Amino acid sequence: MTRSLATAVVALAVLCVVPLHAASAESMVWVQQAATGTVTGTVTDATSGTPVASAQVTIAGTTAGAITNEQGRYTIANVRAGNVTVIARRIGYTESTRANATVAAGATVTVDFRLTIAARTLDAVVVTGTAGGTQKRAIGNVISTVDADSILAIAPVGNVNQLVGQRTAGVMMLPGTGQVGTGSAIRIRGNSSLSLSNEPIVYIDGVRMDSDATRGPGQRGGSNVSALNDIHPDDIASIEIIKGPAAATLYGTEASNGVIQIITKRGSSGAPQFDVSTRTGLNWLWNPEGRTGMRYMLDPANPGQLIGLNVYQNERVNGTGPIFGYGLLQSYSANIRGGTEAVRYFVSASRNDDVGVVDWNWDKQNAIRANIEMELSDKVQARIGTAYIEGQTRLAQGSISTDPFSNLIWSNPRFLNDGRRGWNDAPPEEWGKVESRFDNDRTTTSVELRYQPVDWSTHRFIAGLDMNSEVSSTLYPQQPEGAEHFYGQLGLGSRAVSRGARRFLTLDYSGSANLPWREYVFTPAVGFQYYRSRSSFINASGAQFPAVPITTVSGGSVRDGGESFVENATAGVYFQQQVGWNNRLFVTAALRADANSAFGEQFKAAYYPKLSGSWVVHEEPFFDVSWIDELRLRGAWGAAGQQPATFAAARLYSPAVGYQNQPAINPAAFGNPELKPERGEELELGFDMTFLNGRLDVGFTRYQRAVKDAIVNRPLPPSSGFTGSQIVNIGLLEAWGNELSASARVIDGNRFGWDVGTQISSMQNEIKDLGGLEFISIGTQAQHREGYTIASLFMRRVIDAELGPTGNVVSATCDGGTGADGLQPGGAAVPCAGAPQLYLGRTQPTWTFGVDNTVTLFDNLRLYARVEGNGGHKQVNTEIRAIHNQSTSEAVLLRNNPILSATRIYENDRTGVYDAGFLRLREVSATYDLPDRFASRVGARRGSISLGMRNVAMLWTAQHGWDTPRDGHIRESLANMITWDPEVRSTGQSAIGYQTVMPPTASATMTLRFTF
């Protein structure tokens, strides 16, 4: 019994204990689950608001973490309850931390991140100016990168010119006119040539493209349709900019002014993704009536009294209404991307349809683009890109007679009652009858092959063709009044057409090896490049049409024609050796040799060396500065060139009608068999730093440039048998400057974020040698002189004058000048008739400035504003000169300003000189990321709406200071007249300004973006 009882007790104990243990285990599991929670959220780009895929999100002090998906979402389960710190990281972005996130037991907490693009990511790969892709850490020169999506997401950008803007230190856009369809000239580190182009060369996906900013029919201030704006901004992934010879050596004879590489978007592995965007809005001129001002005439009935006219106001009240209206802006873009690991694709289509402030100024463009990348094998990759663009542009400033702005500036109350209603040549209803058009069909195709036969060797070959088929035309239809029309003989009808093609061919091979040895890596590279440009045009004109319906050249009773063909080719080869030590110290040496068809026959080749170094200091064992995250020192010296014009070296003769109407030739150009390219040599030194856990990025560059063998025109002696000048290499120019860029995450919170970026640069130049020439005139307003900047202003300076009883100038004295050359102001008074022209100022900016602020509220609303400006220079306002020349200004008619009256006699252009510095509120916008529930209603995964404005307000001008009126008026000190806008200048002139062109317009747009 006892044994049986004992056995029963043990069995009962077992039965009782087992359930107890089981219950205890369940309780422990429940307790553990109750003590943890889940962290989830979304990681987005701080600027664009787009999801950031493959970002790593971790819980500080633990191994818990997750990777974001394509929608930027992540989830971390089993996170211990309590306050935790969550960290988000992604290559190319600065790290972001969320401290004190409270995880409740059994609950889910949302922690979202806004990652800011790291401005100075040393491991980012760049392709411009390198022998294949190279990490930034290994490059000794500065390469600026513009991230297109980040800018387009918040900035009201309508074209590539606006996308580039002044967002990079040392890069400046020179807007030429406010007409839609026109563009801007680009300057990198200012002007550096006395007679050749100052434009950088532009590539798209490794292929040289036509980027001329002065295309289309002739306009006031020069032709100004920009070929660069053929590319739709939504097709661009990034833009890389190298700024001078130190970086552009591998591009050789045409790269002294810098290089811009446009990289279009690519496909990605995964399901197809559709992106759609629309931009609609209006553009207008701020306060045209107020800025028009008054024009005067003497009152015949009341001697000494004036009759005033504001022609714009008069037209609004008594004529056909406001001259400048609101033009509709429209842009539509759609693209699809996707693919597999073997084949990836990106295809886009876009449509632009913009109307200017007069309805006969419009710009229409249709474009399609396709990029395909293929993994042909484990050793061979291929990329094929093609784009077709069709554009039609109609402009409104074809001549002074038909240009609305010129008619306004030259308006006169004397014309009030003769049918012109005060306008200079014709009333407004006549202007739109004249058609000035530019039509262009453009195809750009590129093929890139990459071959990696072994792990340590890579070969790349690019072949591409950029072809433009274009037609420029100007039509004056026959008017019923014939020659009695406002346009005189042009009222009989006239048409001029230029039809032709331009083509750029690019062949580019580069091969490199990567050879490690101990702590060193040797990277030798070799490359060959061949470029050929060709343009062929046929020009024809016909005038005096026999009937109103006839508008063709062949319908003219007087006809003329001509043909032109220009071809230029460059062949170059380069060798480069880079040595890296421990992946933190790099030295690169290179040499390029070029031959070009424009060189003189006695000059065979140009050689351009390069030497650069980069030191990643913060990775050194001795470096221990806790508040500096990254520090890199860099320096580069190099040379590049700029070729002369295609026929500059050749002796040329022009056809003519000779004796007894026989064909003959006349001397045209003397030529120069020794002609060679201009040679730019540049040294740049700088550093890149990141502070305070990636919250502050700073980059600084100092450059010093010498342009040797500068090309100038030297007068020919009569004994040569040729008139005019010979193109020779005799000039020497020096240029220097500083560039500072910085970006900061001032506040990085869950509900409030504030990012600031700034770009500041200074630039100077001085002509050191003109080969014995005293000066070279640039138009009538500027000169090249030794010891002064390019195209400086030299004018007489009237210091005293006396008027006679009738208001005529009876005597005038001018500044006699001081200094070693006698050209500095401050000398004794001398009679103006024999006074020297004194130095008045520079015509190019000496500083540029840009700053942008982005405030993010609640992770889905971004407020953005950008200020830009430049200054330190003077410009010539021909609007003011025109008003005085027409005797429609108050001071001229009343003859009560002796200095002005004498200046008009002895230095008429001086009446329009003004200090041209300014700061402008360039862009403002508000962008709202739509909640998922709203986007999903149209089937989208995400969406955003943005309201933005451009050219919002003039904040400061050098002429008027900070109290500039809101409409942008600037009063010229000498004549007390008004400059419409200090920024505007002619696109067709590289050095000096020209004001009688349509000023920049303001615009307001709404942009919708959806991703499906």
Side-chain angles (χ1 to χ4, degrees):
M1 287 291 297
T2 303
R3 184 174 182 180
S4 298
L5 180 61
T7 302
V9 169
V10 171
L12 180 62
V14 171
L15 291 174
C16 293
V17 170
V18 170
L20 287 174
H21 277 282
S24 177
E26 290 179 2
S27 299
M28 290 178 63
V29 171
W30 181 84
V31 170
Q32 183 180 9
Q33 289 176 344
T36 64
T38 300
V39 178
T40 187
T42 303
V43 180
T44 57
D45 185 290
T47 304
S48 67
T50 56
V52 176
S54 301
Q56 184 181 26
V57 185
T58 58
I59 307 299
T62 74
T63 59
I67 302 296
T68 59
N69 61 18
E70 291 185 357
Q71 287 73 47
R73 296 191 178 96
Y74 73 93
T75 299
I76 307 174
N78 298 323
V79 179
R80 187 180 60 186
N83 290 336
V84 298
T85 297
V86 191
I87 304 171
R89 302 181 180 91
R90 176 69 161 87
I91 294 176
Y93 291 86
T94 56
E95 179 182 296
S96 183
T97 301
R98 294 285 182 266
N100 298 321
T102 301
V103 179
T108 297
V109 61
T110 299
V111 181
D112 294 330
F113 290 91
R114 302 163 45 255
L115 296 188
T116 303
I117 293 176
R120 273 154 254 291
T121 303
L122 299 183
D123 294 327
V125 175
V126 294
V127 299
T128 310
T130 67
T134 304
Q135 288 184 327
K136 277 190 176 182
R137 65 168 55 228
I139 301 172
N141 51 267
V142 62
I143 296 182
S144 299
T145 301
V146 176
D147 184 86
D149 279 344
S150 296
I151 295 171
L152 293 172
I154 56 174
V157 168
N159 55 47
V160 177
N161 282 155
Q162 295 173 2
L163 178 62
V164 175
Q166 292 182 192
R167 305 178 201 277
T168 300
V171 178
M172 181 173 57
M173 311 301 291
L174 304 178
T177 172
Q179 299 186 74
V180 299
T182 62
S184 306
I186 304 175
R187 293 292 179 271
I188 298 179
R189 293 179 175 171
N191 287 356
S192 59
S193 179
L194 300 176
S195 60
L196 301 180
S197 170
N198 284 284
E199 295 278 320
I201 57 176
V202 180
Y203 288 77
I204 181 166
D205 294 331
V207 174
R208 179 78 176 273
M209 66 170 286
D210 180 2
S211 60
D212 190 358
T214 59
R215 303 290 283 281
Q219 298 286 291
R220 294 285 288 161
S223 303
N224 46 38
V225 175
S226 175
L228 186 61
N229 286 338
D230 285 346
I231 307 169
H232 198 283
D234 282 345
D235 289 346
I236 298 174
S238 64
I239 300 174
E240 295 179 356
I241 303 173
I242 57 178
K243 301 178 182 179
T249 296
L250 299 190
Y251 294 93
T253 295
E254 301 179 71
S256 187
N257 296 323
V259 179
I260 295 176
Q261 177 89 246
I262 297 173
I263 300 168
T264 60
K265 291 179 178 177
R266 302 287 192 265
S268 58
S269 301
Q273 174 179 303
F274 297 86
D275 293 295
V276 176
S277 69
T278 66
R279 171 183 59 88
T280 57
L282 300 172
N283 70 110
W284 67 91
L285 279 173
W286 283 116
N287 188 24
E289 186 172 309
R291 288 199 281 180
T292 295
M294 300 294 291
R295 304 295 184 270
Y296 296 95
M297 62 175 285
L298 292 171
D299 186 349
N302 299 289
Q305 300 297 312
L306 301 180
I307 297 175
L309 169 70
N310 183 315
V311 71
Y312 197 97
Q313 179 188 54
N314 183 73
E315 195 67 31
R316 176 179 58 82
V317 174
N318 302 310
T320 59
I323 302 307
F324 301 126
Y326 292 89
L328 180 62
L329 305 176
Q330 301 178 81
S331 177
Y332 307 94
S333 174
N335 65 67
I336 179 174
R337 71 176 76 191
T340 66
E341 292 299 327
V343 179
R344 297 174 297 278
Y345 59 86
F346 171 86
V347 179
S348 70
S350 60
R351 163 75 174 173
N352 285 349
D353 189 349
D354 296 336
V355 179
V357 295
V358 292
D359 59 11
W360 64 91
N361 168 216
W362 43 258
D363 181 48
K364 305 176 190 293
Q365 186 184 88
N366 299 301
I368 55 174
R369 180 177 299 276
N371 288 330
I372 300 175
E373 296 175 291
M374 296 172 287
E375 301 287 334
L376 301 180
S377 71
D378 58 349
K379 296 181 179 181
V380 181
Q381 299 87 41
R383 179 191 60 80
I384 301 174
T386 186
Y388 172 72
I389 300 144
E390 174 206 31
Q392 299 94 35
T393 303
R394 182 175 176 182
L395 302 174
Q397 293 190 268
S399 71
I400 195 171
S401 299
T402 64
D403 169 27
F405 195 66
S406 296
N407 268 281
L408 185 152
I409 294 301
W410 291 73
S411 61
N412 195 321
R414 300 181 187 89
F415 309 151
L416 193 57
N417 299 314
D418 65 1
R420 287 176 283 182
R421 300 200 299 274
W423 301 96
N424 184 58
D425 277 282
E429 60 268 20
E430 302 296 328
W431 304 335
K433 294 178 179 179
V434 178
E435 188 175 287
S436 184
R437 287 192 56 166
F438 177 71
D439 299 340
N440 185 41
D441 288 345
R442 180 173 198 159
T443 303
T444 304
T445 302
S446 65
V447 177
E448 178 179 351
L449 296 175
R450 288 184 176 270
Y451 176 51
Q452 190 171 9
V454 292
D455 291 342
W456 49 268
S457 178
T458 301
H459 302 264
R460 183 194 69 179
F461 176 72
I462 297 175
L465 195 62
D466 181 35
M467 298 183 293
N468 291 266
S469 177
E470 62 184 56
V471 179
S472 293
S473 63
T474 301
L475 169 65
Y476 285 81
Q478 189 191 68
Q479 302 299 319
E481 304 91 339
E484 300 301 317
H485 186 264
F486 296 104
Y487 298 147
Q489 288 296 312
L490 292 173
L492 298 174
S494 171
R495 180 175 175 84
V497 180
S498 175
R499 185 186 302 271
R502 300 175 190 263
R503 186 176 75 177
F504 277 91
L505 170 67
T506 302
L507 301 175
D508 186 344
Y509 163 78
S510 65
S512 63
N514 193 277
L515 307 173
W517 178 70
R518 296 182 179 178
E519 65 268 28
Y520 298 93
V521 175
F522 295 87
T523 310
V526 62
F528 170 79
Q529 295 168 335
Y530 176 80
Y531 310 120
R532 179 180 291 272
S533 64
R534 185 177 73 183
S535 67
S536 58
F537 282 84
I538 294 177
N539 311 298
S541 64
Q544 299 183 17
F545 299 146
V548 171
I550 296 175
T551 58
T552 61
V553 169
S554 59
S557 59
V558 178
R559 296 189 292 270
D560 196 5
E563 184 176 6
S564 65
F565 179 86
V566 177
E567 190 171 42
N568 181 267
T570 299
V573 61
Y574 65 82
F575 303 90
Q576 177 177 288
Q577 176 65 64
Q578 183 182 98
V579 180
W581 177 73
N582 283 331
N583 200 37
R584 58 179 181 264
L585 181 62
F586 304 87
V587 176
T588 303
L591 177 67
R592 175 174 173 125
D594 265 1
N596 184 276
S597 59
F599 296 168
E601 60 183 14
Q602 297 179 18
F603 182 79
K604 301 304 180 184
Y607 298 92
Y608 304 107
K610 172 183 178 178
L611 181 65
S612 70
S614 174
W615 183 21
V616 184
V617 181
H618 75 273
E619 293 182 0
E620 293 290 353
F622 63 78
F623 189 85
D624 186 18
V625 183
S626 60
W627 51 276
I628 297 180
D629 307 316
E630 293 182 351
L631 171 60
R632 179 172 72 113
L633 304 180
R634 49 180 166 76
W637 174 87
Q642 185 167 197
Q643 67 192 40
T646 300
F647 298 115
R651 182 163 297 183
L652 302 176
Y653 296 86
S654 60
V657 178
Y659 179 67
Q660 293 186 345
N661 293 323
Q662 295 299 306
I665 55 174
N666 291 329
F670 190 66
N672 181 1
E674 299 178 352
L675 191 64
K676 52 189 174 182
E678 290 186 346
R679 181 183 181 88
E681 296 180 1
E682 185 177 71
L683 172 67
E684 70 169 52
L685 302 171
F687 64 83
D688 301 312
M689 300 182 70
T690 303
F691 304 87
L692 307 175
N693 295 321
R695 295 175 70 103
L696 177 63
D697 289 305
V698 177
F700 174 79
T701 302
R702 166 73 179 185
Y703 67 90
Q704 190 88 23
R705 180 186 302 177
V707 179
K708 303 177 179 179
D709 299 322
I711 292 175
V712 300
N713 292 320
R714 182 172 59 190
L716 285 166
S719 59
S720 67
F722 286 74
T723 59
S725 303
Q726 181 187 28
I727 300 174
V728 294
N729 299 98
I730 57 174
L732 173 62
L733 172 77
E734 292 186 357
W736 61 94
N738 304 285
E739 297 165 354
L740 174 67
S741 60
S743 61
R745 289 184 297 139
V746 181
I747 299 175
D748 184 20
N750 289 328
R751 295 179 175 270
F752 182 82
W754 180 19
D755 300 315
V756 178
T758 186
Q759 307 82 35
I760 304 171
S761 61
S762 65
M763 57 198 77
Q764 303 278 350
N765 63 69
E766 182 180 344
I767 300 172
K768 291 294 187 179
D769 189 2
L770 279 180
L773 299 177
E774 181 181 359
F775 65 89
I776 299 174
S777 294
I778 308 299
T780 62
Q781 303 153 335
Q783 300 173 5
H784 296 322
R785 282 184 180 266
E786 289 183 7
Y788 296 91
T789 61
I790 292 176
S792 290
L793 293 173
F794 291 88
M795 296 184 181
R796 293 182 180 89
R797 179 171 176 262
V798 179
I799 58 177
D800 190 25
E802 181 181 353
L803 300 179
T806 61
N808 60 308
V809 177
V810 295
S811 67
T813 57
C814 289
D815 191 330
T818 63
D821 55 9
L823 301 178
Q824 296 296 319
V830 299
C832 285
Q837 289 184 315
L838 306 180
Y839 174 70
L840 188 61
R842 310 167 187 269
T843 57
Q844 307 105 55
T846 61
W847 59 264
T848 65
F849 173 81
V851 62
D852 51 76
N853 283 266
T854 305
V855 173
T856 303
L857 303 175
F858 307 105
D859 284 331
N860 61 0
L861 176 61
R862 295 184 299 281
L863 306 177
Y864 163 82
R866 178 170 177 80
V867 173
E868 290 180 354
N870 57 62
H873 64 301
K874 296 180 182 291
Q875 284 294 348
V876 179
N877 183 344
T878 54
E879 300 166 11
I880 295 174
R881 185 189 64 184
I883 294 169
H884 293 320
N885 287 348
Q886 286 286 87
S887 295
T888 56
S889 69
E890 184 178 15
V892 169
L893 288 169
L894 294 179
R895 299 189 178 187
N896 58 5
N897 187 329
I899 300 295
L900 174 61
S901 297
T903 301
R904 290 188 62 224
I905 296 173
Y906 294 105
E907 199 67 78
N908 192 21
D909 287 330
R910 175 68 182 88
T911 63
V913 174
Y914 69 100
D915 292 325
F918 72 94
L919 289 175
R920 162 174 262 145
L921 181 55
R922 179 73 75 192
E923 298 169 339
V924 297
S925 72
T927 303
Y928 180 64
D929 295 329
L930 299 175
D932 291 346
R933 64 181 183 275
F934 292 158
S936 62
R937 291 183 180 179
V938 295
R941 288 186 290 174
R942 61 179 180 271
S944 67
I945 180 172
S946 181
L947 302 176
M949 289 185 62
R950 285 187 61 83
N951 294 333
V952 183
M954 189 67 72
L955 304 179
W956 169 87
T957 65
Q959 274 290 310
H960 207 77
W962 290 100
D963 59 340
T964 302
R966 297 174 70 91
D967 58 17
H969 288 196
I970 303 168
R971 297 199 173 274
E972 204 282 337
S973 57
L974 177 64
N976 197 33
M977 297 299 291
I978 294 172
T979 295
W980 274 64
D981 194 300
E983 187 176 18
V984 69
R985 65 173 63 209
S986 166
T987 305
Q989 298 188 20
S990 61
I992 58 177
Y994 186 90
Q995 287 283 296
T996 315
V997 295
M998 194 81 75
T1001 60
S1003 63
T1005 55
M1006 179 180 70
T1007 303
L1008 293 172
R1009 297 183 182 275
F1010 290 99
T1011 297
F1012 297 88

